[in-house]
Amino acid sequence: SFPYRRIVFIDSTWNQCHKICEDRRLKSLPRVMIQSRQTMFWRYQVGKPKEYLATIEAVYYFCVDYHKVVLGKEYMGEYDDMLFFFKFMYQKIHQLYSQ
């Protein structure tokens, strides 16, 4: 069983995230760590590892991990639609840079 009723995702730049996490309203919240994965974001964070995900990637991978680990079910693409606009923009950016 999963011990949490709600999950909070912080949407910010990586340079802002540590300060946000130190906010008194968030500091005492328990944290969940997802499995490490490399970002597919089209704008890599300068000086940051490729495992620093975009927010939508973190939400997506949390859902996938929850599905597999907590629900104990095989993942069959149930959350892939979350990445529709992410993929669309990824393709657009790569088209622009390849011209």
Side-chain angles (χ1 to χ4, degrees):
S1 121
F2 194 67
Y4 308 112
R5 288 183 35 227
R6 292 189 181 111
I7 302 295
V8 176
F9 292 90
I10 306 300
D11 185 24
S12 71
T13 67
W14 275 103
N15 291 331
Q16 297 169 320
C17 77
H18 297 294
K19 186 173 183 177
I20 290 170
C21 289
E22 291 299 316
D23 184 283
R24 64 177 174 76
R25 295 165 291 183
L26 301 174
K27 194 171 185 167
S28 64
L29 292 177
R31 300 193 178 161
V32 174
M33 183 177 286
I34 61 174
Q35 179 184 1
S36 181
R37 295 169 172 101
Q38 287 199 359
T39 185
M40 294 298 295
F41 196 43
W42 51 88
R43 187 182 61 198
Y44 294 112
Q45 305 295 323
V46 176
K48 305 289 188 218
K50 289 193 181 206
E51 290 79 18
Y52 277 36
L53 303 176
T55 305
I56 189 60
E57 290 176 301
V59 172
Y60 169 78
Y61 287 126
F62 172 82
C63 291
V64 170
D65 288 352
Y66 181 89
H67 190 92
K68 294 186 327 190
V69 175
V70 177
L71 300 179
K73 296 181 178 179
E74 181 182 356
Y75 182 66
M76 305 283 290
E78 290 87 344
Y79 310 106
D80 290 0
D81 286 349
M82 268 191 221
L83 297 176
F84 176 81
F85 288 110
F86 182 86
K87 182 180 176 190
F88 175 79
M89 289 305 296
Y90 177 89
Q91 290 171 334
K92 279 291 202 196
I93 296 297
H94 281 274
Q95 284 174 354
L96 286 172
Y97 284 108
S98 66
Q99 293 178 358

